Amino acid sequence: MGIHNFTQLQKKMTSEQLEKFCKKITEEYANSTAQFARSYFCKKYEITISCFYKILEYSVIKNLVEDVIVQKMIKKAIENQNLHKNGAGASSIIKYAKMYTKRYKYIAETMPVNDIKELAEDFANNPNINKMEFASSYGVNSKIIDYCLKRAIIENIVDDFTVKAIETRSIANATTNNSDTIEKYFASLKKIREQNRKEIALK
């Protein structure tokens, strides 16, 4: 069969097959002991080292595996790095933090419009519930809430009244030091919102 890189897998498999393949390897890696590292999986599945890492990244960013699996991956990556050099695990933490950011964006970007609308209106109508508690009630990270609200505003998913309510509660919950930053942030979002609104009107 030969050794495959990630691009070859993408060409060879359907999207569904690729997702199942990546999920399987990622979960197997996360749930295995330290002795089963990249070389074991590369040999077993006939993939390159680069492909192995891309498979793990793909699984995290595309939300193919649960958070508990990602946490196991982080722990294992840190342990493996520390075996070669004590304290080297910090780079793994940074790498996975970047993956998580992309994961949260992906979740928000793929969420149905009706769900985004409901979430944004719910957030606007409940100013007494802080964002962390609100995110917890939806079973997601607060960063996902941020990306969903951004999408609701710039894509004109919610009305102007809701946008104003989201902005008002965000400024009210801000510290004195960053209230100006939040105002500028919302001004930039509303500018994009208006541009998108004009483009929609021209179609």
Side-chain angles (χ1 to χ4, degrees):
M1 190 166 93
I3 305 297
H4 290 85
N5 59 37
F6 195 73
T7 302
Q8 289 170 327
L9 291 182
Q10 287 177 307
K11 290 178 179 178
K12 182 181 177 182
M13 300 177 177
T14 63
S15 295
E16 186 179 350
Q17 287 172 333
L18 181 64
E19 287 182 1
K20 285 183 178 179
F21 184 69
C22 291
K23 186 175 187 287
K24 177 185 178 182
I25 292 176
T26 302
E27 289 180 343
E28 191 177 334
Y29 166 76
N31 290 319
S32 62
T33 55
Q35 71 210 56
F36 296 100
R38 67 185 184 189
S39 57
Y40 168 81
F41 291 96
C42 288
K43 183 178 180 181
K44 179 178 179 180
Y45 291 101
E46 298 182 306
I47 54 176
T48 64
I49 291 173
S50 173
C51 182
F52 171 72
Y53 285 121
K54 283 184 179 178
I55 283 171
L56 299 186
E57 185 176 2
Y58 186 84
S59 295
V60 174
I61 294 171
K62 298 294 184 182
N63 198 33
L64 301 181
V65 293
E66 296 178 355
D67 276 345
V68 64
I69 294 295
V70 182
Q71 291 304 312
K72 287 181 179 181
M73 291 165 68
I74 295 171
K75 183 181 178 183
K76 188 169 181 180
I78 292 170
E79 288 174 350
N80 286 340
Q81 274 198 306
N82 286 337
L83 283 174
H84 301 290
K85 183 181 178 183
N86 191 36
S91 63
S92 287
I93 295 172
I94 294 169
K95 181 178 75 174
Y96 275 94
K98 290 178 180 177
M99 284 190 209
Y100 258 123
T101 297
K102 292 178 181 178
R103 177 184 176 95
Y104 298 147
K105 285 182 180 179
Y106 177 81
I107 292 170
E109 286 168 0
T110 55
M111 193 177 290
V113 170
N114 288 342
D115 290 350
I116 292 284
K117 187 175 188 292
E118 182 182 332
L119 182 149
E121 290 177 347
D122 194 13
F123 185 79
N125 294 329
N126 291 283
N128 295 325
I129 302 175
N130 69 51
K131 189 163 63 178
M132 295 295 287
E133 291 175 349
F134 183 82
S136 180
S137 72
Y138 274 82
V140 298
N141 186 281
S142 63
K143 292 292 183 184
I144 295 175
I145 300 299
D146 289 337
Y147 290 124
C148 286
L149 295 177
K150 178 181 178 181
R151 188 179 160 202
I153 295 168
I154 67 174
E155 293 184 18
N156 287 278
I157 294 172
V158 293
D159 58 27
D160 292 342
F161 178 81
T162 302
V163 174
K164 183 62 179 176
I166 293 170
E167 181 179 7
T168 300
R169 68 161 287 173
S170 298
I171 293 171
N173 292 328
T175 61
T176 307
N177 295 332
N178 68 0
S179 60
D180 287 345
T181 303
I182 291 174
E183 286 182 20
K184 288 177 182 177
Y185 174 70
F186 274 92
S188 68
L189 293 186
K190 286 186 282 187
K191 186 176 180 180
I192 299 170
R193 174 184 173 87
E194 190 59 33
Q195 289 172 344
N196 288 337
R197 182 181 286 171
K198 288 177 181 176
E199 287 178 9
I200 292 169
L202 291 172
K203 290 180 180 179

